[in-house]
Amino acid sequence: MIEQDSFHRMTTELEHLLAQKHGLTSGLFETRLRKALRRAPRKVRAAAERFVQVSVQMGNPKLMRLMDPAVLEADFQLLRAHFRAIDVADRRKGLVLGVLGSVGFSLLAVAALLIIFLVWKGYL
């Protein structure tokens, strides 16, 4: 049987990691978790779905007795490890470099088309 206090501690820690690593602070916990794990591996998404299912079942005392605490703890450990492995600064750098790369490629393509046009018209 899972204790309410330990489950609340797990949920609070995951909420803190969601806010810290993804900036998700408002809305339902289930929605924020689903949004944060869109691009996560299948194993992590499955653990998140089981964790959300347990959070829904925690309101019913009879269903609470049927849950396996070892599986819940393993899912929590997997989610916590996944969120702790995220490097926020590296994600920002990757985003900036991706935008700069696409802008640079676009400028090169426009310059090449301009040169081709000028050669075609006989100005170069």
Side-chain angles (χ1 to χ4, degrees):
M1 185 168 153
I2 302 168
E3 296 178 10
Q4 289 275 352
D5 294 337
S6 64
F7 182 74
H8 183 66
R9 178 190 52 83
M10 291 177 191
T11 306
T12 305
E13 186 172 348
L14 286 179
E15 284 179 344
H16 176 70
L17 287 171
L18 279 173
Q20 184 181 18
K21 300 294 183 170
H22 289 280
L24 300 171
T25 56
S26 63
L28 294 174
F29 172 68
E30 293 85 8
T31 308
R32 288 183 287 155
L33 190 63
R34 197 169 289 122
K35 184 176 181 180
L37 296 176
R38 260 187 235 147
R39 300 176 70 188
R42 254 186 217 145
K43 190 167 69 169
V44 176
R45 284 190 313 232
E49 286 298 321
R50 286 190 301 268
F51 196 83
V52 167
Q53 184 181 13
V54 167
S55 71
V56 170
Q57 292 176 346
M58 287 299 282
N60 190 332
K62 289 184 180 181
L63 290 177
M64 191 170 24
R65 282 187 260 148
L66 297 175
M67 294 179 241
D68 188 14
V71 173
L72 178 67
E73 184 66 30
D75 290 342
F76 170 70
Q77 294 296 334
L78 182 66
L79 289 169
R80 186 171 65 174
H82 174 74
F83 284 133
R84 285 186 176 176
I86 295 173
D87 186 12
V88 178
D90 187 50
R91 287 178 66 203
R92 285 189 193 125
K93 286 178 194 173
L95 179 66
V96 168
L97 289 175
V99 168
L100 288 176
S102 70
V103 168
F105 178 75
S106 298
L107 288 174
L108 283 174
V110 167
L113 288 173
L114 180 66
I115 290 173
I116 290 171
F117 178 75
L118 291 175
V119 168
W120 178 49
K121 287 294 187 176
Y123 296 118
L124 288 181

